[in-house]
Amino acid sequence: MGNLEAAEKIILALDLDDRNQLEDIVDRLDNKLRWVKIGLQLFTKYGPEVVHHFSNKGVKIFLDLKLYDIPNTVAGAVQSISKLPVDLLTIHCSGGYEMMSRAVESANQHNSNLEILGVTVLTSMNDNNMAELNIQHNAAEQVEQLALLAQKANVQGLVCSPLEVQNLRRKLGNNIKLVTPGVRPAGSDAQEQKRVATPSDALKNGSSHLVIGRPILKADDPVQAFENIIQEITS
């Protein structure tokens, strides 16, 4: 895998309060960066304008809002988002088959370039959290159950822990994106993530894209941190 192909695999999670700092990092990464993730924190503070702003810098947008509501409301939200320069949008698989199906139909109708990703189980959750919610499966089993339901609803991709990627790739085949947060370069602090893996391991197991934030954003030299991850992947 070459450097350009490796860079296409990395989605930089813009999960900081300081927009000026984020803009500086994206500008410094310049032609190296292919994707950014805009989450609830940034989107609720600045609104749709922030999507246009970063899209205008030449990167593709993963809008991580994790929509979860009644099917008609989610379909309407997808219709609104379809007017933005967004390539990937998250919904919660826990919303059920009808909600996911309506989201996909809305995206196909209003913006054929917009792909829906289903969030299975958050990477901050583990088996103890499943028990707290009275879910009878462990985390890995719940991920698989939700993933199969999402595939039935024609969702184009899934967000899952890198620890579940290998099993999901085997169960679902190669025609679905598997986007993995909880990716930490070798030697990094896992922080609040509970189900993590290194970039090279995640890709080897079948990840389509790696969502990486603080290991780059909080580095003394974000450009060097990004390049180190590229090197880790390609070597």
Side-chain angles (χ1 to χ4, degrees), residues 10-120:
I10 299 173
I11 301 176
L12 177 62
L14 302 182
D15 294 337
L16 292 178
D17 278 329
D18 189 337
R19 178 169 167 176
N20 289 333
Q21 184 181 356
L22 291 174
E23 291 180 1
D24 177 64
I25 291 171
V26 171
D27 288 341
R28 288 170 62 190
L29 286 168
D30 192 21
N31 61 344
K32 296 180 176 64
L33 188 62
R34 298 291 182 268
W35 285 89
V36 298
K37 179 180 81 75
I38 295 173
L40 278 172
Q41 185 176 19
L42 207 57
F43 191 79
T44 54
K45 187 171 184 178
Y46 296 106
E49 179 274 331
V50 77
V51 175
H52 288 287
H53 180 83
F54 282 104
S55 176
N56 288 338
K57 290 182 179 291
V59 294
K60 290 178 277 191
I61 305 296
F62 170 21
L63 186 59
D64 186 21
L65 300 185
K66 299 182 179 71
L67 301 178
Y68 187 176
D69 212 311
I70 62 173
N72 193 56
T73 298
V74 169
V78 172
Q79 179 179 351
S80 296
I81 291 165
S82 70
K83 298 177 175 65
L84 299 175
V86 172
D87 298 277
L88 300 173
L89 171 70
T90 50
I91 64 174
H92 265 294
C93 295
S94 297
Y97 172 81
E98 184 181 356
M99 189 204 82
M100 289 190 283
S101 181
R102 290 286 305 280
V104 172
E105 289 172 4
S106 183
N108 289 341
Q109 180 180 354
H110 299 288
N111 182 352
S112 60
N113 293 321
L114 176 61
E115 294 187 305
I116 303 298
L117 300 181
V119 176
T120 52

Side-chain angles (χ1 to χ4, degrees), residues 104-220:
V104 172
E105 289 172 4
S106 183
N108 289 341
Q109 180 180 354
H110 299 288
N111 182 352
S112 60
N113 293 321
L114 176 61
E115 294 187 305
I116 303 298
L117 300 181
V119 176
T120 52
V121 175
L122 298 173
T123 53
S124 60
M125 301 184 75
N126 58 19
D127 292 347
N128 291 334
N129 301 121
M130 297 297 99
E132 289 172 354
L133 295 172
N134 199 31
I135 294 172
Q136 303 306 308
H137 302 300
N138 62 35
E141 292 167 341
Q142 182 70 359
V143 167
E144 183 176 324
Q145 174 75 15
L146 292 172
L148 291 170
L149 187 63
Q151 186 179 52
K152 183 179 177 182
N154 295 316
V155 169
Q156 293 98 332
L158 295 165
V159 178
C160 58
S161 155
L163 301 188
E164 286 104 35
V165 165
Q166 190 172 38
N167 181 54
L168 290 183
R169 187 59 77 196
R170 184 171 59 250
K171 295 281 186 180
L172 305 177
N174 294 321
N175 295 325
I176 190 167
K177 284 186 172 68
L178 297 179
V179 177
T180 52
V183 175
R184 292 290 183 267
S188 295
D189 185 353
Q191 295 162 321
E192 81 277 10
Q193 304 284 5
K194 295 178 180 175
R195 298 174 359 259
V196 301
T198 65
S200 56
D201 284 342
L203 289 174
K204 180 177 66 177
N205 288 334
S207 294
S208 306
H209 293 286
L210 313 173
V211 180
I212 305 174
R214 277 169 287 186
I216 297 172
L217 299 177
K218 294 290 190 180
D220 293 334

